[in-house]
Amino acid sequence: MKYATITGLGYYVPDNVITNEDLTQYMETSDEWIQERTGIQQRRYFTYGKDTNASMAAAASRMALERANVTAKEVDLIVYATITPDYFFPGSGFLMQRELGMDGIGVIDIRDQCSGFVYALSIADQFIRTGTYKTILVVGSEIQSTWIDKSNQGRSVAVIFGDGAGAAVVQATSDPAHRILSTHLHADGRFAEDLYVKDPGSSRPNRSATKEMVDEGGFNVVMNGNAVFKHAVVRFTEVIQEALKANELSPEDISLLVPHQANIRISDYVRQQLKLPEEKVINNIQRYGNTTAASIPIALNEAWEQGRVRPGDLVCLAAFGSGFTWASALIRW
Ligand code: COA
């Protein structure tokens, strides 16, 4: 019987730190407003000419490969999640593949927004358990800072997001004691427009990208913050419970919950619903903001580096985001 296990983790965050105070140059906001509503103190922005979505992913992947003691040539497949690719197409996974010299292997380019990493991990898990592949690189990478509207009009969205990348090497094992136990994916497209970027879109009268679209704000992130918040707290809890039930486990069995870093109030609410003590939930949104598909692997990396993920631990990854999408993965480390 084949199982999938995570053998290496890596991440990259750009060195350009943007504090809440820095944002007051562009919009009317305050450190107090941002911290009170989201918990965020600072985030990272990429440096033009130095970082790209693919280069950040490559840096994260190099670290993950090294820690897994796996060479680039041993990787059979890349599953790459991003909603902020370097080109409209092809996806940044292909650019990262080129940079890492992994020519010839398949690249699955997925979006799935803030749930992207868990969706990507689920795909890797299936391919390994069917025996198709032995070593898969799972990546989440985002440059949000060039998409957000930093004027007053976009401030409720702009203050939340940041840039970064995370990666995991997922490999086949026959050891049932250390493996991905299950993954659970959900979506509800009825809420697609509650968190979305409309343009550039293909179903337009003439061209898919025009100056008018830019002027009308079609390229900006539109978010119904209230709806996102209300759905997130319910779905996060539900999908974690679903994973536990599928494995005949309960919340007290969780060693570490790694939630997508959407908002510290959402994570706190979910933690309370599950009656988990604070030390069992990873929060690093204070330093990175919401990095969409990169948030879970960055948080998992930091937890692992801090010795908070040990062999035998039950680690739960959980995400919610645009789509709406929500997902979880339960891992016996
Ligand atoms: N700084 C200062 N004031 C701001 C602001 C900012 N960055 N953004 C919005 N405001 C103002 C609004 O204009 C509004 O002013 P008004 O009362 O004069 O009209 C006021 O603050 C309250 O705005 P509102 O949008 O109702 O705030 P909120 O308490 O609902 O918080 C969010 C907004 C976005 C922080 C909150 O809805 C949220 O966290 N939602 C979930 C978002 C999320 O997690 N997204 C990622 C999902 S993966």
Side-chain angles (χ1 to χ4, degrees):
M1 185 74 182
K2 285 194 178 62
Y3 303 106
T5 186
I6 296 177
T7 55
L9 292 166
Y11 72 115
Y12 174 88
V13 287
D15 48 24
N16 184 18
V17 176
I18 306 291
T19 64
N20 292 344
E21 194 58 38
D22 293 334
L23 292 179
T24 63
Q25 292 168 34
Y26 312 105
M27 63 188 86
E28 286 166 35
T29 191
S30 66
D31 180 48
E32 192 191 358
W33 193 97
I34 300 170
Q35 285 212 49
E36 198 179 296
R37 301 287 201 301
T38 69
I40 299 165
Q41 296 167 9
Q42 58 186 51
R43 72 286 294 139
R44 306 292 180 103
Y45 283 180
F46 89 120
T47 301
Y48 179 71
K50 179 182 178 214
D51 302 311
T52 65
N53 184 306
S55 78
M56 298 196 310
S61 295
R62 280 192 195 97
M63 185 189 282
L65 289 166
E66 199 180 312
R67 286 172 170 176
N69 203 16
V70 164
T71 66
K73 296 284 175 217
E74 288 173 87
V75 175
D76 301 315
L77 180 76
I78 296 165
V79 191
Y80 194 110
T82 187
I83 54 167
T84 54
D86 298 299
Y87 301 147
F88 189 68
F89 74 84
S92 294
F94 305 94
L95 309 181
M96 186 198 77
Q97 184 214 41
R98 182 173 66 191
E99 188 170 335
L100 294 178
M102 294 174 162
D103 329 14
I105 62 167
V107 176
I108 298 180
D109 182 24
I110 71 162
R111 306 211 293 185
D112 291 295
Q113 302 72 246
C114 297
S115 304
F117 186 80
V118 183
Y119 267 69
L121 189 67
S122 178
I123 292 168
D125 184 40
Q126 312 311 314
F127 270 117
I128 285 178
R129 285 197 290 114
T130 55
T132 311
Y133 296 120
K134 286 195 177 67
T135 302
I136 302 181
L137 191 52
V138 178
V139 180
S141 182
E142 303 286 3
I143 294 181
Q144 295 284 3
S145 57
T146 45
W147 282 96
I148 50 184
D149 168 12
K150 299 187 194 81
S151 73
N152 272 350
Q153 206 190 335
R155 64 183 178 171
S156 64
V157 171
V159 299
I160 294 177
F161 292 101
D163 305 342
V169 175
V170 182
Q171 294 193 278
T173 177
S174 52
D175 181 0
H178 306 282
R179 64 181 173 105
I180 296 171
L181 297 175
S182 63
T183 58
H184 306 269
L185 311 180
H186 295 280
D188 192 341
R190 289 177 300 168
F191 301 98
E193 286 81 16
D194 277 314
L195 179 50
Y196 83 129
V197 177
K198 187 176 168 195
D199 293 315
S202 50
S203 52
R204 299 290 179 271
N206 296 307
R207 296 297 311 278
S208 55
T210 63
K211 185 176 175 306
E212 287 71 38
M213 289 175 183
V214 176
D215 294 344
E216 286 162 14
F219 285 76
N220 295 336
V221 180
V222 174
M223 179 173 75
N224 178 350
N226 224 326
V228 172
F229 197 100
K230 283 185 184 151
H231 282 83
V233 290
V234 174
R235 298 307 196 183
F236 261 114
T237 312
E238 249 177 42
V239 81
I240 295 166
Q241 298 275 24
E242 180 187 354
L244 291 167
K245 193 165 171 225
N247 294 283
E248 296 177 6
L249 294 163
S250 53
E252 55 268 27
D253 295 315
I254 294 177
S255 313
L256 192 72
L257 174 63
V258 185
H260 162 56
Q261 305 290 301
N263 181 317
I264 208 156
R265 288 189 301 147
I266 294 176
S267 297
D268 262 351
Y269 188 91
V270 173
R271 181 180 66 73
Q272 283 164 25
Q273 293 284 101
L274 296 167
K275 299 190 172 51
L276 294 174
E278 279 185 23
E279 65 273 16
K280 284 194 171 184
V281 182
I282 281 285
N283 288 308
N284 66 0
I285 194 169
Q286 299 90 334
R287 286 175 289 119
Y288 302 126
N290 176 343
T291 56
T292 320
S295 98
I296 288 180
I298 293 174
L300 185 57
N301 261 277
E302 290 201 337
W304 180 81
E305 285 177 353
Q306 291 159 11
R308 293 172 73 181
V309 183
R310 293 166 301 261
D313 279 358
L314 185 69
V315 178
C316 183
L317 314 182
F320 177 88
S322 157
F324 290 150
T325 52
W326 59 103
S328 62
L330 208 54
I331 304 164
R332 183 64 74 186
W333 206 264

